[in-house]
Amino acid sequence: MRETRLDTARIRAARRVIDPIFLDTPLYRCEALEPDLGCTVSIKLETANPVRSFKARGTEVVASLLVDNGSRAVVCASAGNLGQALAWSGRGRGLDVTVVASRFAPAAKLDRIRALDARLELVDGDFDMARERAAAVAGYHGIRLVEDSLDIETCEGAATIGLELVDTVPSFDAVLIALGGGALATGVGHVVKAWAPEVEVICIQPLGAPAMTHSWRQRRVVTTDSTNTIADGVAGRRPIPAVLDDLLLVADDAVLVQEASIIAGMRMLLDHAGLVVEPSAALGIAAILEDRDRFAGRHVVTIVCGSNVDVDAYHRWVGPAPVHKP
């Protein structure tokens, strides 16, 4: 079998440079979810950290290497979470961080980027337009461009989640991973297939942002003209060829879910797990809701990957809290 771009030794080394506050995140069985889902469900919680997403695992590796190489400035494009993470990792190491984002990104994410002392530039377009602008900024100023999923450090940082999963007992049958640019899916997938090849790696995207899933199914890059989903963290239109190549080697399936299922998943995580999550983090639950028979009787791990969500939008999606009568 061909190998991915990821390297096991580098993934293990990544754990030594990532701030421990982002490592060994909670992994627990959530029995309260199980009656409605019909399977054993464990949650890998990547939101209980200073940037409320898994992204800092990768930016910690990026920032550490930049400092080691004498770099003082860095720029990235972000839907919100990568920018926060890079700002956090860069601030702690004295890096000058610029983040390019869509002005339509959730205000809560943009506010946190500013609060972490990064320079924030907004574009009148989507994430892929932000990617183009970030590349132009990097070229003009001669500074490092961090490209999520393309830069192997972002994938290998995310892969440390996989190390924590395969080291656990009892074993599980499938892992459900939100699929956007692909860093999380290729990182975790690489480790799972190396140490627990019998575990099914299933990637999930919204129907309104299907580019990477269509690319995986057709084994070639498929782009889309637009996206239409509340799951802004995974709403890319142009998959990166090298990342797709990695995904083809580690993913057993890629599925698309409806917006209503994403919202139902968010509501279930609130009601039964006490978790306020952003839409991307509910994709795993959405996948089970849409295909209960596939997961019946199995032990499934879902990675809850982020909780940076605008409160007003969240309330519009999930509705008011239910009234429980005594």
Side-chain angles (χ1 to χ4, degrees):
M1 179 178 131
R2 291 188 298 121
E3 295 184 354
T4 71
R5 296 175 300 145
L6 285 77
D7 178 80
T8 299
R10 289 199 305 260
I11 294 167
R12 291 201 179 279
R15 281 186 58 88
R16 297 194 288 272
V17 301
I18 296 170
D19 190 307
I21 203 166
F22 299 109
L23 296 173
D24 300 312
T25 51
L27 172 64
Y28 58 95
R29 180 178 172 187
C30 189
E31 293 184 55
L33 285 169
E34 295 173 3
D36 287 339
L37 296 178
C39 59
T40 300
V41 181
S42 289
I43 286 172
K44 181 63 168 166
L45 188 64
E46 291 294 313
T47 64
N49 63 57
V51 299
R52 303 203 312 211
S53 82
F54 77 95
K55 294 286 189 181
R57 291 180 184 254
T59 60
E60 284 286 277
V61 182
V62 169
S64 176
L65 290 173
L66 283 172
V67 170
D68 288 347
N69 292 332
S71 299
R72 304 312 310 163
V74 62
V75 60
C76 75
S78 175
N81 286 348
L82 180 75
Q84 272 188 75
L86 188 61
W88 194 95
S89 297
R91 185 180 67 175
R93 293 171 173 84
L95 291 172
D96 179 13
V97 177
T98 299
V99 178
V100 184
S102 167
R103 69 176 64 255
F104 307 111
K109 295 182 177 182
L110 300 179
D111 288 344
R112 285 303 301 156
I113 292 169
R114 294 186 185 98
L116 289 165
D117 299 331
R119 181 180 298 105
L120 180 63
E121 180 177 331
L122 301 178
V123 298
D124 289 315
D126 62 8
F127 170 72
D128 286 291
M129 291 186 68
R131 277 170 65 180
E132 294 175 1
R133 175 58 186 164
V137 170
Y140 181 81
H141 293 288
I143 61 176
R144 167 70 184 273
L145 170 66
V146 175
E147 290 197 73
D148 198 17
S149 305
L150 177 61
D151 285 5
I152 201 64
E153 300 95 334
T154 61
C155 304
E156 291 177 342
T160 60
I161 298 171
L163 290 179
E164 294 165 20
L165 289 177
V166 298
D167 284 343
T168 61
V169 178
S171 61
F172 49 97
D173 302 305
V175 58
L176 304 179
I177 310 173
L179 179 61
L184 183 62
T186 59
V188 174
H190 173 90
V191 173
V192 169
K193 285 306 174 186
W195 276 280
E198 72 284 356
V199 172
E200 192 175 19
V201 173
I202 303 171
C203 305
I204 306 101
Q205 277 194 310
L207 273 167
M212 186 62 103
T213 295
H214 287 332
S215 299
W216 183 86
R217 291 176 178 175
Q218 297 184 35
R219 304 188 70 84
R220 62 178 182 85
V221 170
V222 177
T223 62
T224 59
D225 293 330
S226 61
T227 60
N228 182 22
T229 179
I230 63 172
D232 58 285
V234 294
R237 296 184 287 113
R238 303 173 191 166
I240 298 168
V243 183
L244 174 61
D245 289 343
D246 289 342
L247 191 69
L248 288 169
L249 294 174
V250 300
D252 294 298
D253 200 4
V255 300
L256 298 171
V257 295
Q258 301 176 55
E259 297 294 289
S261 301
I262 299 171
I263 292 170
M266 294 170 69
R267 188 57 194 256
M268 288 184 69
L269 287 165
L270 175 64
D271 289 347
H272 301 308
L275 297 174
V276 174
V277 305
E278 60 189 84
S280 301
L283 287 170
I285 301 299
I288 303 172
L289 286 171
E290 291 199 3
D291 198 353
R292 285 181 176 86
D293 289 345
R294 175 176 187 171
F295 300 103
R298 303 175 72 190
H299 183 181
V300 176
V301 172
T302 184
I303 300 173
V304 176
C305 55
S307 63
N308 290 297
V309 64
D310 279 327
V311 173
D312 290 344
Y314 183 84
H315 286 157
R316 286 198 306 273
W317 295 328
V318 304
V323 176
H324 296 290
K325 296 181 180 180

